[in-house]
Amino acid sequence: MNINMKNIDDNDRNILKALQRDASPSLENLAAQLSLSTNACWRRIKRMEADGIIARRVAIVDPEAVGLRMTVFVAVRTSDHSDKWLEKFAAAASSVEEVVEFYRMAGEVDYLLKLLVRDVADYDRVYKKLIKAVPLSDVSASFAMERIKYETAVPV
Amino acid sequence: MNINMKNIDDNDRNILKALQRDASPSLENLAAQLSLSTNACWRRIKRMEADGIIARRVAIVDPEAVGLRMTVFVAVRTSDHSDKWLEKFAAAASSVEEVVEFYRMAGEVDYLLKLLVRDVADYDRVYKKLIKAVPLSDVSASFAMERIKYETAVPV
DNA sequence: AATGAAATTATGAAACA
DNA sequence: TGTTTCATAATTTCATT
């Protein structure tokens, strides 16, 4: 079992489900919905925040509404598997705000990046920014035509 | 230019940057930070909510903290490119809460799914649930070993 | 010790200048 | 557009079990 894993009960789970869907309703409303007292609910939320289960509260911006019409998945293969190289690559890629997700993978592909860009020209700009920071040889991009589902809620 | 795209100015952009990072501070705090009056700030936020730029406010749960240690990318190739098949597949995959993202792709792969699961056994369970709903022949899974960056904020 | 009711403080929403 | 007012919600305290 994961060292970071925290125990939560059904009430916690229900709170998380609700807050992951919509964090805007008042405590009173939320508590009433879940048949909890306002305070019980409040204390559970505070505990889960302290435990790092609830990492943060954010506003979700619709990418289309601000002209970000393209999601690109960039698969990177490298011959250099040293910690030093990864450190440099991780720092460079993470600092690029268009790189919204970044994973170290098992199997054929070594790293997978998810980019959010305006169009193909914008992708090219970000790509150049990336390879300028860290030389990359084996890079392949896959373009998403349509975002059918995007969910920040994790299954609890 | 995208039909859905809305015009925003620098103040809007600053508000979005801040709220995407952390939506918990009070209006007063946020406004002070950006050298705006509380009300100007409030009105801008309300407008952006009405325009669909700010889609919603949510709590972000740390997947590790609830035992979801594995991100899996599932690439699907299909021979059936009819609307009817896509409709069925989209409905089935979207209804699975472990499928957190789902894209229609250009190129070799037809669809890309991002799954959040506990472990390999859990992946197998979700995979079976998926192919039970819609028969899939050409499926390949890539496992993420480490999540280096995960950002809900889009570049504005 | 844990829980819920109630008082207090802070914040959001609206009217108005 | 900024200032003031009012309503609502978050937080703390306290009594009860």
Side-chain angles (χ1 to χ4, degrees):
Chain A
M1 192 77 351
N2 189 335
I3 193 75
N4 291 321
M5 190 176 167
K6 311 286 179 182
N7 281 325
I8 54 171
D9 65 14
D10 282 350
N11 280 328
D12 290 341
R13 245 178 283 278
N14 289 333
I15 291 171
L16 290 180
K17 273 187 220 282
L19 289 183
Q20 286 193 112
R21 216 177 306 125
D22 184 4
S24 54
S26 71
L27 255 182
E28 221 173 38
N29 259 296
L30 178 66
Q33 239 172 34
L34 308 175
S35 332
L36 284 170
S37 79
T38 312
N39 253 334
C41 195
W42 182 78
R43 277 194 287 249
R44 281 171 184 273
I45 291 170
K46 289 294 143 183
R47 177 176 44 75
M48 290 194 283
E49 284 173 350
D51 285 355
I53 294 171
I54 297 175
R56 50 192 185 143
R57 286 151 185 273
V58 299
I60 301 295
V61 170
D62 177 7
E64 294 266 335
V66 293
L68 295 160
R69 289 183 299 169
M70 196 169 258
T71 301
V72 188
F73 289 90
V74 177
V76 175
R77 286 181 185 79
T78 178
S79 48
D80 189 341
H81 294 274
S82 68
D83 284 357
K84 194 153 187 68
W85 186 87
L86 168 56
E87 208 176 292
K88 204 177 153 195
F89 179 44
S94 296
S95 72
V96 174
E97 64 174 1
E98 286 88 354
V99 176
V100 289
E101 297 181 38
F102 180 12
Y103 301 89
R104 185 168 60 80
M105 305 296 290
E108 282 298 299
V109 167
D110 294 306
Y111 300 98
L112 186 66
L113 284 70
K114 192 182 112 185
L115 271 57
L116 215 46
V117 294
R118 313 187 81 76
D119 48 40
V120 177
D122 196 30
Y123 165 69
D124 196 47
R125 182 184 60 80
V126 176
Y127 172 75
K128 280 176 181 155
K129 189 157 67 170
L130 271 172
I131 57 168
K132 198 180 168 188
V134 191
L136 299 170
S137 51
D138 194 346
V139 174
S140 80
S142 305
F143 296 85
M145 292 286 99
E146 186 187 353
R147 189 173 81 165
I148 299 168
K149 183 181 185 179
Y150 173 78
E151 189 53 72
T152 54
V154 309
V156 287
Chain B
M1 194 74 355
N2 188 336
I3 192 77
N4 291 320
M5 190 175 166
K6 311 288 179 182
N7 281 326
I8 54 173
D9 65 13
D10 281 350
N11 280 328
D12 289 342
R13 245 179 282 278
N14 288 333
I15 291 171
L16 290 179
K17 273 188 219 279
L19 290 183
Q20 286 193 111
R21 215 177 307 123
D22 183 5
S24 54
S26 70
L27 254 182
E28 223 173 35
N29 259 296
L30 178 67
Q33 237 172 36
L34 307 175
S35 331
L36 285 171
S37 80
T38 311
N39 254 329
C41 195
W42 180 75
R43 277 194 285 251
R44 280 171 184 275
I45 291 170
K46 290 293 144 184
R47 178 177 44 75
M48 290 194 284
E49 283 173 350
D51 285 354
I53 294 171
I54 297 175
R56 49 191 186 144
R57 286 150 184 275
V58 300
I60 301 295
V61 170
D62 178 6
E64 294 266 334
V66 294
L68 295 160
R69 289 183 299 169
M70 195 169 258
T71 300
V72 188
F73 289 90
V74 177
V76 174
R77 286 181 185 80
T78 178
S79 49
D80 190 342
H81 293 274
S82 69
D83 282 358
K84 192 152 188 68
W85 186 88
L86 168 55
E87 208 177 291
K88 205 177 153 195
F89 179 45
S94 296
S95 71
V96 175
E97 63 174 1
E98 286 89 355
V99 176
V100 290
E101 298 181 36
F102 180 11
Y103 301 89
R104 185 166 61 79
M105 305 295 291
E108 282 298 297
V109 167
D110 294 307
Y111 300 97
L112 185 65
L113 283 69
K114 192 181 110 184
L115 271 56
L116 215 45
V117 294
R118 313 188 80 76
D119 47 39
V120 177
D122 196 30
Y123 166 69
D124 196 47
R125 181 183 61 79
V126 176
Y127 172 75
K128 280 176 182 156
K129 189 156 65 171
L130 272 171
I131 56 168
K132 199 181 170 186
V134 192
L136 299 171
S137 51
D138 194 346
V139 174
S140 81
S142 305
F143 296 86
M145 293 285 98
E146 187 187 352
R147 189 172 82 165
I148 298 168
K149 183 180 186 180
Y150 173 78
E151 188 53 72
T152 53
V154 309
V156 288

